């Protein structure tokens, strides 16, 4: 009925964080198995990393330090980020970059051989750099930064997969996490689905690392890879782990590259950005959060096109007498989600035996992500998760599967397959995306959120109460079964995002509530922590520990 495997450390996910975790766990002496959706080197968002940002000896401003970098990260995220995690990230990034160099990756360089380091509006100092892609020629790269989602991520993944291949790390491609296995509150492995063989796989493990990326596929349009359906978030939540900041998603302002001279116009021909105090040329407020808000607010005011977009004059040289509809249209897209599984500085989750790193690790950013830090998060917290998982495995003599919990988990997965086999998962996924875009997009509002929540509940009930079809004909293959399982996680993460949005009555960073346009540090300098209690999400607002820095109202509280 299922295949059984056993390992010391199980790493779930094969992007940057998963690879880095597997390498570290192996180098700390553990037996490691990776399982991932898709194939190693060809799945996840790390492939699409453009810019990386960190302070290091390769260049940048001499006044810049890990501390200034940490303060930038925390202030950009509205001071909701976990300050211990931000400190670790700022201090460890340089080592991870040098390690990538040792493993054979080079920086994009200027003609004189110095590393090309750039200034982004989201950072106080110039600390953005690019890893070099194969065959790239050094030179002046100043215009290429707008080509976001470009190729340096492939260079990162090439190096990491090469390092994985050099080690005795077992890999199960095309095998998706269904749920975590628990024994008396401890994670003891995972139930997976080998899509190629349409076979359930039970993997017993002393430590499990989640590195499954984001849950942005609750939205359309989105920049993220189709693998990112919140499966790790769903499994962790169902197992009882705490999640954090699930209400927040990073959006990007446009679905196409723009330049400092670009002009965004509404359907009345008004130049949008200056109306919101944004100056793309001087980079003043030219961050994705302000730009997204500006564009979407125009659309909400009825000044968008019938596709809910605005016009962009990319080179800023349009003949003012030319009709507007000759211009390209553009609109915000959902980027990677910000919330995730709550971790501490060791990447330990609230469940013994379970670790998380990379985009799934919640709490690092707060409510907005400055450009370039996520690739560093992937490497830094991927490494720490691998190290901690290995230490956890070493200190654990053995783990046992709870047969009853395993059977229930298998029955649940089989039930989903049998109930859903006559529906088209793509149709349901599309419906989820429409609901989330209509009710929980860039700018949110209570009445609409309540309607959205009710639609998500209706869809969930519809799928849960669909009659079981036990006949074997038209039984879905493993890949189709995996699509059904994804729906479960998309519906769950959508529900959590809406419920958290209803609770947080303020605007901050990438998160906007139309009725509460201001940041409310007095009442809302708090993280929302989500927990599954008897099948219902309980959300607690927990004050942030302002250890190292704070908004001005709280500056005196730092020890
Ligand atoms: C278009 C785009 C551009 C970006 N540009 C930048 C940038 O310039 N700079 C920057 O710092 N960051 C950037 N990011 C963000 C960054 O790429 C990611 O957040 C980061 O790489 C995440 O790494 P990860 O290893 O956590 O997840 P990913 O690299 O996304 O890997 C997730 C892995 O989990 C696997 N997985 C998912 N579900 C399951 C399951 N059920 N079972 C098993 N495996 C599963 C996936 O197949 C994949 O292997 C960008 C993101 C996008 C989408």
């Amino acid at each position: 009925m299922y295949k059984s495997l056993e390992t010391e450390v199980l790493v779930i996910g094969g992007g940057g964080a998963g690879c880095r975790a597997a390498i570290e766990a192996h180098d700390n002496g553990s037996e490691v198995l990776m399982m991932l959706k898709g194939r190693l080197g060809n799945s996840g968002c790390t492939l699409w990393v453009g810019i990386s940002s960190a302070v290091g000896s390769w260049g940048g401003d001499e006044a810049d330090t890990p501390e200034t970098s940490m303060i930038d990260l925390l202030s950009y995220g509205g001071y909701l980020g976990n300050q211990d995690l931000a400190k670790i990230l700022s201090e460890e990034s340089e080592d991870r970059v040098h390690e990538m160099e040792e493993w054979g990756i080079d920086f994009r360089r200027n003609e004189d051989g110095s590393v090309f380091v750039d200034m982004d509006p989201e950072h106080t100092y110039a600390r953005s750099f690019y890893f070099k892609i194969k065959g790239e020629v050094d030179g002046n790269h100043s215009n290429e930064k707008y080509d976001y989602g470009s190729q340096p991520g492939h260079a990162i993944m090439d190096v990491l997969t090469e390092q994985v291949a050099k080690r005795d790390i077992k890999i199960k491609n095309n095998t998706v996490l269904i749920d975590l296995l628990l024994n008396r509150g401890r994670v003891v492995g995972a139930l997976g689905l080998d899509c190629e063989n349409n076979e359930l796989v039970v993997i017993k493990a002393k430590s499990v690392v989640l590195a499954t990326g984001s849950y942005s596929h609750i939205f359309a349009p989105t920049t993220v890879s189709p693998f990112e359906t919140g499966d790790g978030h769903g499994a962790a939540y169902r197992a009882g782990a705490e999640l954090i900041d699930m209400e927040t998603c990073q959006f990007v302002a446009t679905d196409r590259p723009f330049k400092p001279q670009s002009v965004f116009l509404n359907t009345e021909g008004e130049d949008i950005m200056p109306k919101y105090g944004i100056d793309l040329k001087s980079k003043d407020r030219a961050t994705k959060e302000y730009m997204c808000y500006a564009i979407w607010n125009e659309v909400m005011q009825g000044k968008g096109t019938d596709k809910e977009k605005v016009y962009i004059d990319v080179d800023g040289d349009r003949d003012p007498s030319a009709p507007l509809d000759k211009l390209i249209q553009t609109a915000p897209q959902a980027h990677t989600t910000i919330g995730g599984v709550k971790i501490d500085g060791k990447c330990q989750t609230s469940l013994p035996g379970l670790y998380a790193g990379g985009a799934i690790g919640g709490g690092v950013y707060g409510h907005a992500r400055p450009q370039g830090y996520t690739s560093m998060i992937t490497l830094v917290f991927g490494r720490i998760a691998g190290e901690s998982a290995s230490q956890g495995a070493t200190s654990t003599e053995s783990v046992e599967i709870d047969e009853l919990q395993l059977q229930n988990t298998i029955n649940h997965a089989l039930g989903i397959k049998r109930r859903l086999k006559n529906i088209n998962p793509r149709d349901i996924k599309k419906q989820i995306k429409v609901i989330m875009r209509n009710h929980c997009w860039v700018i949110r509002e209570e009445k609409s959120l309540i309607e959205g929540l009710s639609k998500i509940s209706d869809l969930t009930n519809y799928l849960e109460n669909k009659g079981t079809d036990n006949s074997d004909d038209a039984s879905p293959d493993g890949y189709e079964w995996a699509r059904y399982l994804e729906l479960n996680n998309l519906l769950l993460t959508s529900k959590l995002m809406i419920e958290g949005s209803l609770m947080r009555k303020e605007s901050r960073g990438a998160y906007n509530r139309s009725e509460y346009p201001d940041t409310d540090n007095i009442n809302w300098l708090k993280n929302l922590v989500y927990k599954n209690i008897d099948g219902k999400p309980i959300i607690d607002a927990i004050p942030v520990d302002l250890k190292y820095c704070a908004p001005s109202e709280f500056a005196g509280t730092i020890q």
Side-chain angles (χ1 to χ4, degrees):
M1 189 184 177
Y2 58 78
K3 186 173 180 172
S4 293
L5 297 172
E6 191 169 345
T7 185
E8 286 176 335
V9 174
L10 171 64
V11 176
I12 305 174
C19 288
R20 191 60 194 81
I23 292 166
E24 192 68 17
H26 171 275
D27 291 0
N28 276 265
S30 293
E31 179 193 28
V32 183
L33 170 67
M34 293 177 78
M35 71 182 238
L36 61 137
K37 206 190 263 190
R39 297 194 69 78
L40 187 65
N42 197 19
S43 69
C45 289
T46 309
L47 286 165
W48 296 346
V49 166
I51 301 164
S52 294
S53 302
V55 183
S57 56
W58 49 84
D61 198 311
E62 277 181 12
D64 199 10
T65 63
E67 194 184 351
T68 51
S69 171
M70 174 191 80
I71 290 171
D72 269 10
L73 173 70
L74 291 170
S75 60
Y76 197 84
Y79 296 94
L80 285 192
N82 176 314
Q83 303 208 349
D84 284 326
L85 298 180
K87 188 166 191 287
I88 291 168
L89 176 74
S90 308
E91 289 174 353
E92 194 179 313
S93 289
E94 178 167 10
D95 286 351
R96 299 285 67 76
V97 174
H98 286 311
E99 177 181 76
M100 293 296 277
E101 273 187 288
E102 275 166 35
W103 287 344
I105 201 169
D106 194 6
F107 296 99
R108 184 174 284 186
R109 290 175 185 276
N110 298 310
E111 271 162 6
D112 65 3
S114 58
V115 173
F116 173 65
V117 180
D118 204 5
M119 175 78 188
D120 267 307
E122 302 174 356
H123 300 269
T124 309
Y125 293 103
R127 58 171 85 102
S128 296
F129 60 89
Y130 298 74
F131 288 118
K132 195 172 186 169
I133 56 173
K134 259 187 207 148
E136 189 177 337
V137 180
D138 291 334
N140 179 0
H141 300 288
S142 56
N143 285 329
E144 292 178 25
K145 68 190 293 278
Y146 294 99
D147 187 13
Y148 97 102
S150 60
Q151 301 303 302
H154 286 262
I156 297 174
M157 283 306 294
D158 281 353
V159 166
L160 290 173
T161 50
E162 195 179 291
Q163 290 300 319
V164 168
K166 280 186 180 165
R167 292 163 169 82
D168 181 20
I169 293 173
K170 295 190 183 65
I171 295 157
K172 265 203 85 54
N173 285 313
N174 293 317
T175 303
V176 300
L177 165 70
I178 299 178
D179 263 314
L180 294 166
L181 298 176
L182 288 166
N183 194 343
R184 280 177 283 169
R186 188 194 195 286
V187 172
V188 293
L191 175 68
L193 169 64
D194 176 340
C195 298
E196 219 158 297
N197 297 308
N198 201 359
E199 179 181 48
L200 292 174
V201 190
V202 172
I203 306 172
K204 186 159 101 168
K206 291 179 181 173
S207 295
V208 175
V209 176
L210 285 176
T212 50
S214 77
Y215 52 101
S216 300
H217 263 276
I218 56 176
F219 289 119
T222 177
T223 61
V224 307
S225 91
F227 300 100
E228 319 255 327
T229 50
D231 301 353
H233 299 76
Y237 174 84
R238 285 188 291 276
E242 289 179 348
L243 309 186
I244 187 168
D245 298 336
M246 291 294 286
E247 68 278 13
T248 314
C249 179
Q250 187 71 58
F251 290 87
V252 288
T254 72
D255 52 11
R256 58 193 60 249
F258 60 92
K259 300 175 181 173
Q261 65 270 31
S262 298
V263 177
F264 292 83
L265 299 153
N266 64 23
T267 46
E268 293 174 6
E270 288 175 299
D271 187 351
I272 296 172
M273 294 305 158
K275 284 174 70 180
Y276 295 84
I278 300 167
D279 181 349
L280 297 181
K281 286 201 181 99
S282 77
K283 300 185 177 177
D284 200 16
R285 285 166 61 99
T287 64
K288 40 194 182 320
E289 293 75 23
Y290 286 120
M291 290 178 67
C292 268
Y293 180 87
I295 292 173
W296 197 246
N297 203 36
E298 293 295 303
V299 173
M300 284 178 71
Q301 286 177 15
K303 295 179 186 175
T305 68
D306 51 6
K307 292 184 180 142
E308 298 194 318
K309 294 187 172 193
V310 298
Y311 296 111
I312 176 171
D313 171 13
V314 177
D315 291 311
D317 57 357
R318 155 183 177 264
D319 171 0
S321 62
L324 278 173
D325 59 12
K326 294 281 176 259
L327 290 172
I328 302 166
Q329 298 186 25
T330 190
Q333 295 188 85
H335 201 38
T336 48
T337 43
I338 294 182
V341 179
K342 189 165 173 274
I343 52 170
D344 65 12
K346 298 266 180 209
C347 292
Q348 169 75 61
T349 71
S350 61
L351 286 183
L354 183 66
Y355 306 82
I360 192 178
V364 190
Y365 292 114
H367 264 205
R369 291 178 18 190
Q371 206 147 7
Y373 280 135
T374 316
S375 48
M376 292 297 112
I377 281 188
T378 297
L379 298 175
V380 169
F381 294 110
R383 187 201 73 75
I384 295 174
E387 181 182 61
S388 300
S390 176
Q391 287 167 355
T394 307
S395 61
T396 305
E397 204 167 303
S398 65
V399 289
E400 291 309 321
I401 302 275
D402 173 344
E403 291 300 331
L404 184 62
Q405 193 254 343
L406 171 62
Q407 206 46 59
N408 288 339
T409 311
I410 290 176
N411 289 345
H412 184 241
L414 287 171
I416 288 177
K417 173 162 95 164
R418 290 183 186 134
R419 278 201 313 277
L420 304 193
K421 77 178 190 190
N422 293 323
I423 63 137
N424 182 346
R426 285 155 204 85
D427 285 348
I428 304 287
K429 194 170 174 184
K430 209 164 154 191
Q431 287 183 49
I432 296 170
K433 286 167 180 278
V434 169
I435 296 170
M436 291 306 284
R437 185 182 155 99
N438 288 342
H439 298 284
C440 196
W441 191 237
V442 177
I443 303 174
R444 301 170 188 176
E445 183 255 322
E446 181 162 300
K447 188 165 165 278
S448 177
L449 284 167
I450 291 171
E451 280 171 28
L453 188 58
S454 146
K455 289 179 186 172
I456 290 289
S457 300
D458 289 349
L459 203 48
T460 308
N461 290 339
Y462 165 72
L463 295 182
E464 277 176 2
N465 296 320
K466 247 187 133 285
T468 305
D469 178 353
N470 286 323
S471 64
D472 273 343
D473 48 309
S475 191
D477 69 13
Y479 291 100
E480 201 67 356
W481 187 359
R483 299 291 90 79
Y484 299 154
L485 295 162
E486 284 175 353
L487 295 179
N488 219 17
N489 298 315
L490 290 167
L491 284 164
L492 172 64
T493 47
S494 297
K495 178 184 161 81
L496 296 182
M497 182 173 279
I498 299 181
E499 293 214 352
S501 302
L502 279 165
M503 194 159 162
R504 181 174 286 284
K505 294 182 169 52
E506 64 151 1
S507 294
R508 187 185 294 264
Y511 176 87
N512 297 294
R513 280 287 306 267
S514 60
E515 320 92 309
Y516 308 99
D518 298 324
T519 298
D520 178 357
N521 281 331
I522 301 300
N523 295 302
W524 279 107
L525 205 58
K526 293 174 180 160
N527 295 110
L528 295 186
V529 175
Y530 301 66
K531 197 158 181 206
N532 174 10
I533 307 281
D534 298 330
K536 289 211 165 58
I538 300 298
I539 309 177
D540 287 323
I542 310 286
V544 178
D545 183 2
L546 299 168
K547 245 182 179 170
Y548 305 118
C549 63
S552 51
E553 302 96 301
F554 292 82
T557 62
I558 300 170
Q559 302 300 311

